[in-house]
Structures are given as structure tokens and as C-alpha cells.
Amino acid sequence: MRFSSFKRTASVMVACLAVLTATQASGHAAEARAASMTARGAAVRQEKNYQVEVENFSSQAFDEIALAFTRNSTPVTQILHQFNVPASSVVTFDLGPCSDVKQYAVSGLVGGERKFTTGDVDADPVGCDDIVTIRDTGALAMHRNTR
């Protein structure tokens, strides 16, 4: 009799250990799922940044590409610069959260002289990604004459 009661006690202990192990494992899994969902929720809530890509598809190199922009949250104009922009290159400017960008203007300078400007461009709070393309005006005029 003693042996069978030992068997029963052992089997009950094994069952209890299995339940405890499963509970701890599922608890850790639940914590991991909760942390993952919290991280995903935070990533979803984080607002995308407004980016302006300047494509220099011209034969002109620029000493500087300058982007001036204003935010809704502050009246001060901020200016970002990219120096020594060669022909056939792309430069990207990150302006911060989409909903905060109000307007921007892009200019290309050579020897301190402005060679082109976009003028004021109203920001698109939905799109948040703009592309400014610089091309040779001579090539564009030649292309128009061939039609």
C-alpha cells in the first residue's frame, strides 16, 4: 500500500509542477505579448516625419542647397543646408513631425548667387513626402522644340 500511495503522491506532485510550469510560461508569454502590443501601439502612434527630397538631375553642381521652413508650433523660420551637391545627386531633408510643418522653400546656390528657388510651398500634412526635381532648362527647351 505504501508504494501505491507514493505513486499517487508523486503523480499529484508531477501534475502540480506541470500546472505551475505552464502557468509561469503562459504568464511570461502574456507579458511578452503585452510588451509587444505596447511597443507596436507606440510605433503606430508615433507621427511620421515630413521629408523633402531634392533631386539634382541637372548638369549643375551646387555649392549649397538650402531649405527654409516654418512650423505651426513656432513662428521662427528654420534653415537646413546641404553643402557641395554634385550634379545627378539626391539630397533628403527631414523637417520633423508632419502635422507641425507649415511651409517650406528650397533654393540652390552657386558662389553665393541663387540659381533656383521653389518659392513658398504649403506643406501637405497628409502626404508628408515631397520631391523637388532640378533639371537643365536648356535640355528642357530642346526637348520642347523637338515636339
Side-chain angles (χ1 to χ4, degrees):
M1 266 217 193
R2 183 174 165 113
F3 187 72
S4 65
S5 71
F6 177 75
K7 275 184 168 178
R8 272 185 270 154
T9 305
S11 63
V12 168
M13 285 176 52
V14 167
C16 288
L17 284 174
V19 168
L20 282 173
T21 305
T23 304
Q24 286 179 348
S26 66
H28 289 300
E31 287 174 19
R33 276 193 303 272
S36 173
M37 291 179 76
T38 303
R40 258 189 256 134
V44 169
R45 281 183 251 130
Q46 184 177 2
E47 187 175 1
K48 182 179 173 188
N49 280 1
Y50 204 105
Q51 294 194 342
V52 177
E53 186 175 282
V54 180
E55 300 173 336
N56 182 11
F57 291 158
S58 71
S59 58
Q60 172 73 57
F62 292 94
D63 295 337
E64 177 184 358
I65 299 289
L67 186 143
F69 69 103
T70 56
R71 297 181 183 276
N72 294 313
S73 62
T74 180
V76 178
T77 300
Q78 296 177 3
I79 301 175
L80 302 174
H81 306 271
Q82 180 66 46
F83 297 99
N84 302 319
V85 179
S88 302
S89 63
V90 177
V91 176
T92 303
F93 294 97
D94 187 337
L95 309 184
C98 287
S99 63
D100 197 26
V101 178
K102 184 176 180 180
Q103 276 186 331
Y104 68 88
V106 179
S107 297
L109 301 133
V110 175
E113 181 183 335
R114 186 169 51 193
K115 295 294 183 177
F116 88 91
T117 186
T118 60
D120 290 340
V121 177
D122 289 330
D124 177 11
V126 177
C128 295
D129 292 313
D130 290 347
I131 298 173
V132 175
T133 303
I134 308 164
R135 298 193 188 277
D136 286 330
T137 55
L140 184 60
M142 230 171 70
H143 178 68
R144 285 188 194 143
N145 290 337
T146 59
R147 287 189 171 189

